[in-house]
Amino acid sequence: MNSAGRVGRPKASSKETLAEAACELFLEQGFEATSIADITSRAGVSRSSFFNYFASKSDILWAGLDERLTSLEGRLAKDEGADASAGVRAAVLALGSEFAPDSLALAIVNATAMGLDSELDREGALRRTRIGRAVAERLSRGGADRLHAEVAGAAWGGAVLAAVEAWAHDGAGVTSLARFLSRAAHAAGSVTQTPPPGEVRQLRVVVRAADFEQALVFYRDVVGMPQSEAYEAEGGARVAILDAGRATLELSNPAQVDFIDRVETDGVTSDPIRLALQVDDTAGATGRLAAAGAEVEASARQTPWRSLNSRLRGPADLQLTLFQELGPE
């Protein structure tokens, strides 16, 4: 098939012409043997025109879906609804709205003939990860724990790609992608539900700080808790409310506290109330806090539960544990 075969057709955009030419060549000589120069020559456009629309040969196949994934990411990042699971489902179903058959559907059906099996596996894995990350971040903001959010994210990433593949094999022009996404969403939704909210809407630790300015500068500027609210009243009364991310209440019996003290320190005893703050770099954060005046009670060390913990004494006489989740070995 060549460009002369297009005589009499409605005029297509350069992007559509390039995609059609690429798929023709992939079928004729295989994906690896086809160069960008081959594609632009067949399409009758310049090399610069190719890069106006696509970053690579592979991008020709995935561009349509990638545009929708960008919209999915933006929608989930902005979604602050009370039901994170419902927000994820709605965002995923929106991917299928008026999604017309494109180069990706053709490539999936003709993967072996085009020499695309490995390419589709590799690029599909990247899209599954992309979807999974966006979903996991939304569910985490909605209150899901890290493990639950990551598992659910992986399920949704797999569901979307499985739906696209099933749609292609069913005849992408015969039925809608929305139909397959709805079925896939039902399967992924079984691992997405976050725990129902309890009666408590926020955990706030209230601290009496004799040196208010010192404590404020330390916890806001050094530890890194952004100030969300602040109030003043008669007689010099002041309060600042700092955002510490997700709040949980950890209840431990005496035996567990003793065990934690043995693992986390060299004999330091826990206060009745100790603040544990998750950070990305325990060693670096410990050094930063110590330089700002905190007393290091125990340097960073790895725990049996795969975290890197240190313990400090901060302003307002607060005992702090910094912990960095290390993940699986």
Side-chain angles (χ1 to χ4, degrees), residues 222 279-291 300 308 310 312 322 324:
V222 181
V279 297
D280 292 329
D281 176 9
T282 295
T286 300
R288 190 175 72 253
L289 270 58
L308 192 63
S310 69
L312 305 96
L322 303 184
Q324 173 188 347

PDB file of all heavy atoms in Angstrom, residues 222 279-291 300 308 310 312 322 324:
ATOM      1  N   VAL A 222      11.830  23.815  60.354  1.00  0.00           N
ATOM      2  CA  VAL A 222      12.906  22.822  60.340  1.00  0.00           C
ATOM      3  C   VAL A 222      12.344  21.418  60.087  1.00  0.00           C
ATOM      4  O   VAL A 222      12.767  20.720  59.165  1.00  0.00           O
ATOM      5  CB  VAL A 222      13.717  22.837  61.654  1.00  0.00           C
ATOM      6  CG1 VAL A 222      14.847  21.812  61.589  1.00  0.00           C
ATOM      7  CG2 VAL A 222      14.277  24.229  61.912  1.00  0.00           C
ATOM      8  N   VAL A 279       9.366  10.382  57.459  1.00  0.00           N
ATOM      9  CA  VAL A 279      10.169  11.252  56.596  1.00  0.00           C
ATOM     10  C   VAL A 279      10.742  10.413  55.454  1.00  0.00           C
ATOM     11  O   VAL A 279      10.692   9.186  55.478  1.00  0.00           O
ATOM     12  CB  VAL A 279      11.313  11.929  57.388  1.00  0.00           C
ATOM     13  CG1 VAL A 279      10.760  12.845  58.467  1.00  0.00           C
ATOM     14  CG2 VAL A 279      12.245  10.896  58.008  1.00  0.00           C
ATOM     15  N   ASP A 280      11.305  11.085  54.457  1.00  0.00           N
ATOM     16  CA  ASP A 280      11.889  10.377  53.321  1.00  0.00           C
ATOM     17  C   ASP A 280      13.334   9.961  53.588  1.00  0.00           C
ATOM     18  O   ASP A 280      13.831   9.025  52.967  1.00  0.00           O
ATOM     19  CB  ASP A 280      11.847  11.257  52.060  1.00  0.00           C
ATOM     20  CG  ASP A 280      10.428  11.493  51.567  1.00  0.00           C
ATOM     21  OD1 ASP A 280       9.583  10.603  51.765  1.00  0.00           O
ATOM     22  OD2 ASP A 280      10.176  12.566  50.996  1.00  0.00           O
ATOM     23  N   ASP A 281      14.011  10.663  54.486  1.00  0.00           N
ATOM     24  CA  ASP A 281      15.434  10.402  54.753  1.00  0.00           C
ATOM     25  C   ASP A 281      15.686  10.601  56.245  1.00  0.00           C
ATOM     26  O   ASP A 281      15.901  11.717  56.703  1.00  0.00           O
ATOM     27  CB  ASP A 281      16.296  11.349  53.909  1.00  0.00           C
ATOM     28  CG  ASP A 281      17.789  11.216  54.191  1.00  0.00           C
ATOM     29  OD1 ASP A 281      18.181  10.276  54.910  1.00  0.00           O
ATOM     30  OD2 ASP A 281      18.561  12.060  53.691  1.00  0.00           O
ATOM     31  N   THR A 282      15.654   9.521  57.008  1.00  0.00           N
ATOM     32  CA  THR A 282      15.783   9.633  58.463  1.00  0.00           C
ATOM     33  C   THR A 282      17.125  10.228  58.869  1.00  0.00           C
ATOM     34  O   THR A 282      17.188  11.120  59.725  1.00  0.00           O
ATOM     35  CB  THR A 282      15.614   8.249  59.118  1.00  0.00           C
ATOM     36  OG1 THR A 282      14.284   7.784  58.887  1.00  0.00           O
ATOM     37  CG2 THR A 282      15.845   8.322  60.617  1.00  0.00           C
ATOM     38  N   ALA A 283      18.196   9.732  58.269  1.00  0.00           N
ATOM     39  CA  ALA A 283      19.527  10.219  58.659  1.00  0.00           C
ATOM     40  C   ALA A 283      19.667  11.710  58.381  1.00  0.00           C
ATOM     41  O   ALA A 283      20.147  12.479  59.223  1.00  0.00           O
ATOM     42  CB  ALA A 283      20.604   9.425  57.929  1.00  0.00           C
ATOM     43  N   GLY A 284      19.229  12.133  57.189  1.00  0.00           N
ATOM     44  CA  GLY A 284      19.333  13.544  56.837  1.00  0.00           C
ATOM     45  C   GLY A 284      18.457  14.416  57.718  1.00  0.00           C
ATOM     46  O   GLY A 284      18.877  15.491  58.170  1.00  0.00           O
ATOM     47  N   ALA A 285      17.230  13.972  57.980  1.00  0.00           N
ATOM     48  CA  ALA A 285      16.318  14.747  58.824  1.00  0.00           C
ATOM     49  C   ALA A 285      16.827  14.828  60.254  1.00  0.00           C
ATOM     50  O   ALA A 285      16.707  15.869  60.915  1.00  0.00           O
ATOM     51  CB  ALA A 285      14.924  14.128  58.795  1.00  0.00           C
ATOM     52  N   THR A 286      17.410  13.739  60.746  1.00  0.00           N
ATOM     53  CA  THR A 286      17.950  13.742  62.108  1.00  0.00           C
ATOM     54  C   THR A 286      19.061  14.775  62.232  1.00  0.00           C
ATOM     55  O   THR A 286      19.111  15.549  63.195  1.00  0.00           O
ATOM     56  CB  THR A 286      18.493  12.341  62.470  1.00  0.00           C
ATOM     57  OG1 THR A 286      17.426  11.387  62.375  1.00  0.00           O
ATOM     58  CG2 THR A 286      19.063  12.326  63.873  1.00  0.00           C
ATOM     59  N   GLY A 287      19.954  14.819  61.256  1.00  0.00           N
ATOM     60  CA  GLY A 287      21.031  15.807  61.278  1.00  0.00           C
ATOM     61  C   GLY A 287      20.512  17.221  61.211  1.00  0.00           C
ATOM     62  O   GLY A 287      21.012  18.120  61.901  1.00  0.00           O
ATOM     63  N   ARG A 288      19.481  17.450  60.388  1.00  0.00           N
ATOM     64  CA  ARG A 288      18.901  18.788  60.245  1.00  0.00           C
ATOM     65  C   ARG A 288      18.256  19.252  61.540  1.00  0.00           C
ATOM     66  O   ARG A 288      18.424  20.391  61.969  1.00  0.00           O
ATOM     67  CB  ARG A 288      17.884  18.767  59.106  1.00  0.00           C
ATOM     68  CG  ARG A 288      17.396  20.151  58.695  1.00  0.00           C
ATOM     69  CD  ARG A 288      16.479  20.105  57.498  1.00  0.00           C
ATOM     70  NE  ARG A 288      15.173  19.557  57.812  1.00  0.00           N
ATOM     71  CZ  ARG A 288      14.742  18.364  57.440  1.00  0.00           C
ATOM     72  NH1 ARG A 288      15.536  17.569  56.729  1.00  0.00           N
ATOM     73  NH2 ARG A 288      13.532  17.944  57.757  1.00  0.00           N
ATOM     74  N   LEU A 289      17.528  18.350  62.196  1.00  0.00           N
ATOM     75  CA  LEU A 289      16.860  18.707  63.450  1.00  0.00           C
ATOM     76  C   LEU A 289      17.863  18.911  64.575  1.00  0.00           C
ATOM     77  O   LEU A 289      17.699  19.799  65.421  1.00  0.00           O
ATOM     78  CB  LEU A 289      15.838  17.624  63.836  1.00  0.00           C
ATOM     79  CG  LEU A 289      14.407  17.831  63.298  1.00  0.00           C
ATOM     80  CD1 LEU A 289      14.389  17.925  61.777  1.00  0.00           C
ATOM     81  CD2 LEU A 289      13.500  16.697  63.760  1.00  0.00           C
ATOM     82  N   ALA A 290      18.904  18.097  64.591  1.00  0.00           N
ATOM     83  CA  ALA A 290      19.937  18.249  65.615  1.00  0.00           C
ATOM     84  C   ALA A 290      20.654  19.587  65.465  1.00  0.00           C
ATOM     85  O   ALA A 290      20.949  20.275  66.449  1.00  0.00           O
ATOM     86  CB  ALA A 290      20.929  17.089  65.533  1.00  0.00           C
ATOM     87  N   ALA A 291      20.919  19.984  64.214  1.00  0.00           N
ATOM     88  CA  ALA A 291      21.578  21.269  63.964  1.00  0.00           C
ATOM     89  C   ALA A 291      20.708  22.436  64.406  1.00  0.00           C
ATOM     90  O   ALA A 291      21.209  23.515  64.726  1.00  0.00           O
ATOM     91  CB  ALA A 291      21.915  21.399  62.484  1.00  0.00           C
ATOM     92  N   ALA A 300      19.952   7.076  63.793  1.00  0.00           N
ATOM     93  CA  ALA A 300      19.158   6.271  62.861  1.00  0.00           C
ATOM     94  C   ALA A 300      19.636   4.827  62.821  1.00  0.00           C
ATOM     95  O   ALA A 300      20.831   4.562  62.747  1.00  0.00           O
ATOM     96  CB  ALA A 300      19.238   6.884  61.460  1.00  0.00           C
ATOM     97  N   LEU A 308      13.708   2.808  58.992  1.00  0.00           N
ATOM     98  CA  LEU A 308      14.927   3.400  59.538  1.00  0.00           C
ATOM     99  C   LEU A 308      14.493   4.467  60.536  1.00  0.00           C
ATOM    100  O   LEU A 308      13.896   5.474  60.152  1.00  0.00           O
ATOM    101  CB  LEU A 308      15.754   4.025  58.407  1.00  0.00           C
ATOM    102  CG  LEU A 308      17.185   4.439  58.738  1.00  0.00           C
ATOM    103  CD1 LEU A 308      18.021   3.226  59.132  1.00  0.00           C
ATOM    104  CD2 LEU A 308      17.820   5.149  57.548  1.00  0.00           C
ATOM    105  N   SER A 310      15.009   6.966  64.128  1.00  0.00           N
ATOM    106  CA  SER A 310      15.857   7.674  65.090  1.00  0.00           C
ATOM    107  C   SER A 310      14.947   8.308  66.135  1.00  0.00           C
ATOM    108  O   SER A 310      13.730   8.389  65.938  1.00  0.00           O
ATOM    109  CB  SER A 310      16.699   8.755  64.395  1.00  0.00           C
ATOM    110  OG  SER A 310      15.877   9.819  63.927  1.00  0.00           O
ATOM    111  N   LEU A 312      14.597  11.668  68.958  1.00  0.00           N
ATOM    112  CA  LEU A 312      15.115  12.967  69.368  1.00  0.00           C
ATOM    113  C   LEU A 312      14.216  13.581  70.431  1.00  0.00           C
ATOM    114  O   LEU A 312      13.071  13.167  70.620  1.00  0.00           O
ATOM    115  CB  LEU A 312      15.208  13.938  68.180  1.00  0.00           C
ATOM    116  CG  LEU A 312      16.004  13.504  66.947  1.00  0.00           C
ATOM    117  CD1 LEU A 312      15.069  12.923  65.906  1.00  0.00           C
ATOM    118  CD2 LEU A 312      16.788  14.670  66.376  1.00  0.00           C
ATOM    119  N   LEU A 322      11.654   9.703  64.269  1.00  0.00           N
ATOM    120  CA  LEU A 322      11.617   9.882  62.822  1.00  0.00           C
ATOM    121  C   LEU A 322      11.720   8.497  62.201  1.00  0.00           C
ATOM    122  O   LEU A 322      12.577   7.700  62.595  1.00  0.00           O
ATOM    123  CB  LEU A 322      12.777  10.753  62.347  1.00  0.00           C
ATOM    124  CG  LEU A 322      12.897  12.154  62.955  1.00  0.00           C
ATOM    125  CD1 LEU A 322      14.047  12.906  62.300  1.00  0.00           C
ATOM    126  CD2 LEU A 322      11.609  12.929  62.831  1.00  0.00           C
ATOM    127  N   GLN A 324      11.600   6.181  58.437  1.00  0.00           N
ATOM    128  CA  GLN A 324      11.630   6.117  56.980  1.00  0.00           C
ATOM    129  C   GLN A 324      11.281   4.700  56.567  1.00  0.00           C
ATOM    130  O   GLN A 324      11.970   3.748  56.945  1.00  0.00           O
ATOM    131  CB  GLN A 324      13.026   6.486  56.464  1.00  0.00           C
ATOM    132  CG  GLN A 324      13.255   6.293  54.984  1.00  0.00           C
ATOM    133  CD  GLN A 324      14.717   6.497  54.604  1.00  0.00           C
ATOM    134  OE1 GLN A 324      15.521   7.010  55.395  1.00  0.00           O
ATOM    135  NE2 GLN A 324      15.075   6.093  53.402  1.00  0.00           N
TER     136      GLN A 324
END
